[in-house]
Amino acid sequence: MKEMSQEVAFVACAGSAAGKKRFAGMNCSSCAEAVSCGFERGECKSGCVGVGSCISVCKQNALRMEDGKLIVDRELCDGCGDCAAPDVCPQGLIRMIPRKATNFIPCSSTEEEEEVVRKTCGYGCIACSECVRACPKGAVSIIENHAVIDYDKCAGCDACTIKCRKKIIVDTLHDLTKIKEKVAFVRCSGGKKAQEKYKSMGIQSCVEAAKQDAKALGLCTTGCLGQGSCTAVCRYDAISIVDGTAYVDPEKCVGCRDCTFACPKGLITIVPYKGMKQVPCSSTDDYEDKRKVCDSACVACEDCKANCPNGAIYMEEKHAVVDPELCENCNMCQYVCMYNVIREQSVPEYIYAQRSALENEALDNETSGKTAGKEETGKGGNL
C-alpha cells in the first residue's frame, strides 16, 4: 500500500456561486475553458466552476462533485498535489495543507463589499478580520479580501471559529452549533395575519411583500412578513416559519448574520447566546393601532421597565428592549407583562458546562505558554 503524504488536498471554496450550473450546460472541456468564458453579474469570480478538471487527474479517485461542491476524500487522497497544479485548477482553489490540520477556511473570494459577498454566496468570507484578531498564535491573515490560515502557526484552537461573523470556518474539533457567542433573534411574534393576507394576494417573497402598503391592508407596518426570505439563506436550518412568523432555533443557529441581511424589514438582530429575556416586537405604532393588528404586540406600558431590578429594560420607539449586558434572566418582566409578550431565551445546561471547560482549557494553555517562555528565558541566561 502506498504511504500517505503528510499533506492532503483542500478546496478553498464551499459554494456554488461561480456559475457551476451555467458552465455545466455549456459542456466546457476544462475548468480553464469555463473561466475563459467569463463570469456573469452576481457570480463569484473566484470560486469553483465545477467542470471537474481536478477530478479527471486524480489517480486515487479522491475527488468528487456532490450537490455542487467539490469534496476531497481525505482517506483516499495521498497528497500527490496533481489536482493543485495551476494548469488543472485555474482559480488556484486547491491547496496542499497538513493532514493533521483541524481548522479550514473554504473561501477564496476577492470581493471587497460585505453585502455583495453575502448576496453572492452563503459561504463567502467577508474579510471582517475578527478571526485575525482572535487568533492567539497570529496564524490567520487577510489575503486578497479573504482569511487564510498559516498552518505552521495554527494550534487548532476554536478562537477563529467562534469569532467568525459569517461562521464559515470549518472546525473538526468543536461543534459550531454549540460553541458560539451570539445567535439571531426575530423581533416579532405576530406575523400570522400578514402571512395569510400576502398569501391570499399571491405574494411569495418578503421583498415583494415589503413593497405593499401594510397599513392600508390592516397589517402591522413593522412586523414579520412570513414569506421565508430568511429561511432560504440559512445554511444551518435554524430558521423556520411558525404560525406565520420567522422563528430562530437558538440551538441550531450559529450567529452568521445572513438572515439579518435577508430580512427587508430589518427584524432580525443578533443577541448574546445566554439565558436572558427578549421582547419579540419592534412596532412603532400607538397602542390603539397595535392592538387592532396584533395580539402579541408590546404596548409600551413600561411595567417591565419600572419593575426590572437591574434596569435592563428601556423603551425604544414605543416598544420595550432588553439590554443583554444587564439582564440576569430573572422572571420579573415576564411576571408583570400583561400581554405575555416577553420571551425567555433558554440555554441548555451543557452549554454552560462546556463553556466553563473551554475557558479553563484556554487559561491552562495560556499559563503553560507563559511558563514555557520563562523556562526558555532561564536557559538562555544560564548559557
Side-chain angles (χ1 to χ4, degrees):
M1 184 176 177
K2 184 177 179 180
E3 184 178 347
M4 289 291 185
S5 164
Q6 293 304 306
E7 292 188 319
V8 67
F10 165 67
V11 185
C13 176
S16 303
K20 285 181 178 177
K21 290 184 179 180
R22 184 170 61 85
F23 289 128
M26 294 170 61
N27 295 317
C28 297
S29 61
S30 67
C31 291
E33 181 183 344
V35 172
S36 68
C37 291
F39 298 91
E40 294 184 350
R41 185 181 181 84
E43 293 180 343
C44 175
K45 298 178 178 60
S46 310
C48 175
V49 294
V51 175
S53 294
C54 53
I55 297 176
S56 62
V57 302
C58 181
K59 302 180 182 66
Q60 307 302 321
N61 295 317
L63 297 170
R64 68 180 187 277
M65 198 67 69
E66 190 174 286
D67 295 328
K69 297 178 183 178
L70 183 61
I71 307 295
V72 178
D73 187 325
R74 295 170 64 92
E75 297 300 319
L76 295 178
C77 177
D78 64 0
C80 68
D82 288 347
C83 59
D87 60 334
V88 175
C89 182
Q91 298 286 70
L93 298 175
I94 304 181
R95 299 152 195 183
M96 305 311 296
I97 65 173
R99 191 173 289 274
K100 64 180 181 180
T102 58
N103 289 42
F104 315 94
I105 302 178
C107 179
S108 301
S109 174
T110 58
E111 175 57 54
E112 297 180 5
E113 299 295 327
E114 175 179 344
E115 189 169 351
V116 173
V117 174
R118 287 184 181 273
K119 288 181 178 180
T120 303
C121 179
Y123 297 88
C125 175
I126 56 176
C128 64
S129 296
E130 292 288 355
C131 54
V132 177
R133 289 187 284 270
C135 182
K137 303 294 184 180
V140 189
S141 57
I142 301 297
I143 299 176
E144 295 186 327
N145 296 318
H146 63 270
V148 177
I149 296 175
D150 181 345
Y151 289 104
D152 288 334
K153 299 178 180 179
C154 179
C157 71
D158 59 344
C160 61
T161 309
I162 294 176
K163 288 296 184 179
C164 177
R165 289 184 188 175
K166 202 69 162 44
K167 293 299 182 288
I168 63 165
I169 300 179
V170 178
D171 184 341
T172 57
L173 290 182
H174 307 94
D175 185 348
L176 186 59
T177 62
K178 295 178 181 179
I179 307 300
K180 56 198 173 189
E181 293 183 326
K182 298 181 178 181
V183 295
F185 172 71
V186 183
R187 297 179 297 162
C188 176
S189 60
K192 185 174 182 179
K193 186 177 180 180
Q195 185 200 44
E196 292 177 346
K197 182 63 178 179
Y198 291 130
K199 185 177 180 180
S200 69
M201 296 170 63
I203 294 174
Q204 299 181 348
S205 74
C206 290
V207 173
E208 186 180 356
K211 296 177 182 178
Q212 310 304 311
D213 188 341
K215 191 169 186 177
L217 294 172
L219 304 173
C220 175
T221 58
T222 59
C224 180
L225 303 166
Q227 304 307 305
S229 290
C230 52
T231 65
V233 301
C234 182
R235 291 174 279 130
Y236 295 88
D237 193 30
I239 309 180
S240 56
I241 302 298
V242 180
D243 290 331
T245 310
Y247 167 76
V248 176
D249 183 339
E251 285 205 53
K252 292 182 179 179
C253 177
V254 298
C256 70
R257 301 173 187 255
D258 280 348
C259 58
T260 67
F261 281 77
C263 178
K265 299 290 262 185
L267 285 176
I268 308 178
T269 187
I270 298 295
V271 299
Y273 183 49
K274 66 177 185 177
M276 59 180 286
K277 299 299 187 287
Q278 299 281 2
V279 181
C281 179
S282 56
S283 176
T284 58
D285 293 335
D286 292 326
Y287 168 80
E288 294 81 4
D289 294 330
K290 288 181 181 183
R291 300 311 297 174
K292 288 179 182 178
V293 299
C294 183
D295 294 329
S296 59
C298 171
V299 297
C301 65
E302 300 195 22
D303 283 348
C304 55
K305 175 184 176 182
N307 288 278
C308 179
N310 291 331
I313 303 177
Y314 60 95
M315 307 309 293
E316 182 178 89
E317 296 186 287
K318 301 178 182 178
H319 63 271
V321 178
V322 178
D323 184 338
E325 298 301 323
L326 298 177
C327 177
E328 291 189 357
N329 201 32
C330 72
N331 295 316
M332 184 57 71
C333 58
Q334 286 184 306
Y335 177 75
V336 301
C337 180
M338 68 177 77
Y339 291 112
N340 297 316
V341 175
I342 303 174
R343 302 283 186 268
E344 179 178 354
Q345 181 198 82
S346 60
V347 178
E349 188 62 33
Y350 66 80
I351 295 298
Y352 291 112
Q354 191 176 44
R355 282 180 176 168
S356 177
L358 284 172
E359 288 173 0
N360 291 334
E361 179 185 343
L363 185 61
D364 290 342
N365 290 338
E366 183 179 350
T367 303
S368 298
K370 290 180 178 179
T371 302
K374 290 180 180 179
E375 290 178 352
E376 289 298 322
T377 303
K379 289 178 181 179
N382 292 332
L383 290 175

